[in-house]
Amino acid sequence: SLTTDFGAELPPVILVEADVGRVLLNLLANAFYAVRQRQQQGEPGYQPQVGLRTLVLNQQVQIQVSDNGPGMSAAVQQKVFQPFFTTKPTGEGTGLGLSLSHDIIAQGHGGTLSVESQEGQGTTFSVGLPLNGQFTSRLPERSFN
């Protein structure tokens, strides 16, 4: 199932819609892949869940994508944003999605992209977009609530 929890009255942030859309699409695709992988293990009673949440935290609008998939070890979490690192089998992932997503958010939008995960419990990726509107992309600016 996909659940959403959109924060009420979020302040506007400046972003490139297509770029942040690509990041969110990548994070959601990874979350659905993770829950599918865990579901295919045949664990009794397992119900795949993906969540999308927005809130204001630490002077940023946070967009959190969570799943109850297999989770990641601490060692994998440290490498997950490195170019060409992937946890997927050969032919299923290039290892560029999270690396490029990190660059889009951190370098292009002055924000943050972080991960928290526990093996056997799931993973949450958090995109933080600054409220002060710092923006470094060369693409046209748009403000969204």
Side-chain angles (χ1 to χ4, degrees):
S1 67
L2 173 65
T3 59
T4 59
D5 179 12
F6 299 125
E9 313 256 345
L10 291 177
V13 294
I14 297 172
L15 56 85
V16 176
E17 180 180 5
D19 286 355
V20 175
R22 281 187 203 90
V23 169
L24 294 176
L25 184 61
N26 182 52
L27 295 177
L28 286 165
N30 286 347
F32 286 118
Y33 180 88
V35 297
R36 185 175 60 246
Q37 292 302 109
R38 185 169 173 185
Q39 185 178 37
Q40 289 175 346
Q41 294 174 357
E43 183 180 328
Y46 174 70
Q47 296 294 319
Q49 296 176 344
V50 173
L52 182 62
R53 178 180 180 213
T54 60
L55 66 149
V56 175
L57 183 66
N58 299 328
Q59 295 300 307
Q60 294 182 324
V61 169
Q62 293 273 322
I63 305 168
Q64 299 174 343
V65 177
S66 60
D67 67 68
N68 69 340
M72 294 182 277
S73 69
V76 169
Q77 289 177 63
Q78 290 178 352
K79 298 177 186 176
V80 78
F81 297 118
Q82 293 176 2
F84 306 111
F85 178 81
T86 183
T87 60
K88 295 176 182 168
T90 302
E92 288 192 40
T94 62
L96 288 175
L98 289 173
S99 173
L100 291 173
S101 293
H102 185 271
D103 288 350
I104 287 169
I105 298 302
Q107 295 174 10
H109 290 80
T112 59
L113 178 57
S114 61
V115 63
E116 291 182 25
S117 186
Q118 290 186 316
E119 289 184 274
Q121 300 297 313
T123 301
T124 298
F125 282 92
S126 297
V127 174
L129 298 168
L131 294 178
N132 62 8
Q134 288 191 356
F135 192 86
T136 58
S137 179
R138 293 181 302 232
L139 295 175
E141 297 180 17
R142 293 183 65 184
S143 179
F144 292 88
N145 289 1

